[in-house]
Amino acid sequence: VGGKLHGFWYAFGTHDGYNLWEAPDNVSMAATALAIGAGGALSSVQTTVLLSVEDTISALQKASTIRYRPPGDKT
């Protein structure tokens, strides 16, 4: 799918291993995760999408334009 595995680490705790992937887009990475999970070698898979600094700044700028009121706020 045009991605790259940057590393794999074993761990103690909730999950036994962590890896860092780079993919051209979220759909490609989801396809990779599905293919690996379908192989049956893993008992569970959890993914976390990471944002670049540039994407985070864009999200912060966009968030400042959203008018949000928590539920129950009558102001």
Side-chain angles (χ1 to χ4, degrees), residues 8-67:
F8 185 92
W9 299 268
Y10 291 100
F12 299 109
T14 305
H15 302 289
D16 295 328
Y18 291 85
N19 54 67
L20 178 62
W21 290 81
E22 181 178 1
D25 53 67
N26 288 343
V27 173
S28 296
M29 192 61 242
T32 301
L34 288 166
I36 292 170
L42 304 174
S43 61
S44 69
V45 176
Q46 180 180 347
T47 61
T48 302
V49 176
L50 302 176
L51 296 175
S52 67
V53 171
E54 294 80 15
D55 285 346
T56 302
I57 291 170
S58 293
L60 289 167
Q61 290 169 339
K62 187 173 282 194
S64 71
T65 68
I66 297 171
R67 293 181 54 171

